[in-house]
Amino acid sequence: MVDGFYRIGQASKHLGVSSYHLRRLCEAGAIDAELTSGNQWRVAIAEVQRLKRDGVPPIPQRLSKEEDDEDQPDESREVPEGLYAEPSEDVIDSAEEVTITENRLRKRRLERELEQEEDFFRERATREAAGQAAEREEARKQQERRRRREWEDEWISFALDRVPDDAPKELGLEVHSQVAEALARLQADQPAIAVRRIVEAAVDKALAPWHRTNERVKAIEEAIRDLPYAIQRNDDLEDLKLEAIRLATNAVNQCHPEAASATLQAAARNAVKPVLRVFEHAQTVKAVASWIFVRGASYQEQQEAAELVKTALAKLPVGCPRSQMERTRDEALAGVLARIAERERVAAATAEQQRQRTAAEWRLNRLLDHIGDYLKEDYEYGDTYAGIGERFDDARRLKEQIRPTLLEECLADPSLDDDDLRNRIEELVDELL
């Protein structure tokens, strides 16, 4: 049992009646209540709970104290004022009729109040029955909704499990939407095999765009993988790789949306063939132009030759034969080779002249010593120290004077032998002395 009390205002709010109604019931003793020292009524919590359960009765229509007194006969009544004797039988009969009528009226009033009470309890029972029925119906609907939700969640989980692991996360939302839309048109009591087929079809529909995109991407990737390794990995050939991807992508996008994988792959491979031809052409050009070494060329001439070959080969159309590239290379090098050959010829001639001059100088150095012997034999210097010194000085002076002339004559006529040169030396000495 719950202890505690409610004030009249609190109890009336809990019971849904007015404070006046509840206070009149307290005054009539129709409910269990007590009056506080401050003349305020309070109702026990347990009584409020009982009234909630059994219902609040109406305010009783009690008889006034005066009406109750009239029902009781009084033998010692005095003669009513204004009468000279006891009432006659007619008066008594009239009074009795009035009393009977009043009692009948009082009875009917009580019957009406009883009927009102019974109507109240019948209405309350009807309301309670209707409320219980509504609660049962709501519980049934909630249970049906819960089962429907569990059924849908089970099939949605089944559908999401069929999404590939490598699929984008947002694809799960599309699968959920498609499956939920399909389930909304089905009943939970339909055969599982039929529901499964419909769910699988919804999943396939949601995954179809992604599968088609994957097939196109795969066709492009395979076409790129078929290209030479250098195109795929060499940063210097990144432009070729990007061009191959662009061509393959355009070719695949031009295919029918429902095109088979084999068709997409064939389109991508054919699209990258021009890139492959460009690469092969570049590799052949590189091979033809590599290791260009021009014998006798300077560093600058080597660089010039390489640039000339590169420029000439760059003008050739893609796909031309290697033989044409080699001819073009040789034609580009012709000018440099001619210039180097001419320089080498001039250098060789200069070297030969220098060699001849050196040989002539060495020969003259040997033959010019003949001046001393010639002076000793043909000119009188004496055997004194002064004479010998004079002869030595003259020989040295004559050597320096004769050397340039004799060298030019020796170079001009390489056929002169030593005797010819000795004779010429003697002639020149005689001319100078």
Side-chain angles (χ1 to χ4, degrees):
M1 183 176 180
V2 181
D3 296 332
F5 293 89
Y6 285 130
R7 295 192 302 274
I8 288 296
Q10 295 173 328
S12 63
K13 289 181 180 179
H14 281 285
L15 295 173
V17 297
S18 66
S19 299
Y20 171 79
H21 189 137
L22 198 60
R23 192 177 293 108
R24 291 295 305 274
L25 292 177
C26 293
E27 293 172 352
I31 60 175
D32 184 12
E34 63 180 36
L35 192 63
T36 66
S37 59
N39 289 327
Q40 297 294 326
W41 289 101
R42 63 179 186 175
V43 184
I45 294 177
E47 179 66 7
V48 173
Q49 292 176 348
R50 183 189 69 79
L51 291 173
K52 276 186 175 183
R53 184 176 61 255
D54 298 338
V56 180
I59 299 174
Q61 304 293 328
R62 296 190 176 279
L63 298 176
S64 65
K65 187 175 183 299
E66 291 79 5
E67 291 174 336
D68 291 341
D69 292 340
E70 288 178 0
D71 292 338
Q72 302 296 328
D74 189 1
E75 298 292 340
S76 61
R77 267 188 319 196
E78 295 181 356
V79 176
E81 187 176 354
L83 294 180
Y84 297 101
E86 288 291 326
S88 64
E89 290 296 330
D90 293 335
V91 173
I92 293 172
D93 290 340
S94 298
E96 287 178 354
E97 288 179 2
V98 170
T99 301
I100 291 171
T101 301
E102 291 177 349
N103 288 338
R104 185 179 296 120
L105 179 61
R106 207 175 288 125
K107 177 182 177 182
R108 289 183 178 179
R109 188 182 299 123
L110 291 175
E111 289 176 349
R112 186 175 66 250
E113 292 178 0
L114 178 61
E115 183 65 24
Q116 290 176 351
E117 290 292 325
E118 290 178 349
D119 289 343
F120 167 80
F121 286 107
R122 280 194 297 270
E123 291 177 0
R124 186 181 69 177
T126 301
R127 288 196 303 271
E128 290 178 351
Q132 292 173 357
E135 290 177 357
R136 288 193 298 271
E137 179 63 18
E138 182 62 24
R140 185 190 66 78
K141 291 181 178 179
Q142 289 182 356
Q143 184 177 13
E144 183 178 346
R145 287 194 294 269
R146 184 176 63 255
R147 289 177 179 174
R148 172 77 185 194
R149 188 165 52 251
E150 292 174 353
W151 176 78
E152 290 180 352
D153 290 345
E154 180 180 354
W155 282 112
I156 289 176
S157 297
F158 168 79
L160 293 176
D161 288 340
R162 294 177 61 84
V163 177
D165 294 336
D166 58 340
K169 298 299 182 183
E170 58 271 17
L171 193 57
L173 297 176
E174 181 62 22
V175 171
H176 185 284
S177 176
Q178 291 286 349
V179 173
E181 182 179 349
L183 292 175
R185 297 191 293 267
L186 301 177
Q187 299 298 324
D189 56 355
Q190 289 188 243
I193 185 64
V195 176
R196 175 168 180 164
R197 290 178 179 175
I198 294 174
V199 169
E200 289 176 346
V203 172
D204 292 341
K205 180 180 178 181
L207 295 180
W210 178 72
H211 282 309
R212 286 195 294 270
T213 301
N214 271 3
E215 289 177 353
R216 293 171 182 270
V217 172
K218 184 178 179 182
I220 295 170
E221 290 176 347
E222 289 184 356
I224 301 303
R225 281 197 298 268
D226 289 342
L227 294 174
Y229 183 82
I231 296 180
Q232 301 179 45
R233 300 299 181 184
N234 193 337
D235 292 339
D236 295 336
L237 301 176
E238 183 68 17
D239 290 342
L240 276 182
K241 181 179 179 180
L242 293 177
E243 178 64 12
I245 294 174
R246 186 188 68 81
L247 293 174
T249 302
N250 290 342
V252 167
N253 289 338
Q254 291 175 4
C255 293
H256 191 274
E258 303 297 332
S261 297
T263 302
L264 297 174
Q265 293 171 6
R269 289 195 187 97
N270 289 332
V272 300
K273 285 182 178 180
V275 173
L276 182 60
R277 287 194 292 270
V278 170
F279 172 75
E280 291 173 346
H281 176 81
Q283 292 299 104
T284 306
V285 167
K286 183 178 179 181
V288 171
S290 64
W291 297 103
I292 295 179
F293 178 75
V294 180
R295 186 181 60 83
S298 64
Y299 175 78
Q300 289 78 8
E301 288 172 332
Q302 288 284 1
Q303 296 298 315
E304 179 187 359
E307 187 63 28
L308 288 173
V309 171
K310 179 180 178 181
T311 302
L313 293 178
K315 296 178 180 179
L316 295 177
V318 174
C320 66
R322 185 186 180 102
S323 59
Q324 184 178 354
M325 295 182 186
E326 292 173 348
R327 287 195 303 272
T328 302
R329 175 198 61 192
D330 296 341
E331 291 172 358
L333 292 175
V336 176
L337 292 175
R339 186 169 67 247
I340 294 173
E342 177 62 20
R343 186 176 67 240
E344 288 181 344
R345 185 190 65 76
V346 173
T350 303
E352 179 61 23
Q353 292 176 359
Q354 184 63 34
R355 184 190 66 76
Q356 292 176 2
R357 187 179 188 87
T358 301
E361 289 177 348
W362 177 83
R363 185 181 179 192
L364 290 177
N365 287 336
R366 177 174 57 83
L367 295 174
L368 285 173
D369 291 339
H370 177 66
I371 294 175
D373 296 336
Y374 180 68
L375 291 177
K376 182 179 179 181
E377 293 176 357
D378 294 347
Y379 290 89
E380 296 293 334
Y381 285 94
D383 293 333
T384 63
Y385 284 110
I388 295 173
E390 183 183 359
R391 180 167 56 85
F392 180 78
D393 291 339
D394 287 342
R396 183 174 60 184
R397 177 177 57 81
L398 291 170
K399 282 183 180 181
E400 296 303 322
Q401 292 177 341
I402 293 173
R403 183 190 300 277
T405 302
L406 194 61
L407 179 60
E408 294 300 324
E409 292 178 358
C410 185
L411 292 175
D413 188 6
S415 63
L416 294 175
D417 58 14
D418 290 352
D419 292 335
D420 294 335
L421 291 174
R422 288 189 188 96
N423 292 332
R424 181 59 178 159
I425 290 172
E426 293 175 356
E427 291 175 0
L428 292 173
V429 168
D430 292 340
E431 291 176 2
L432 293 172
L433 292 178

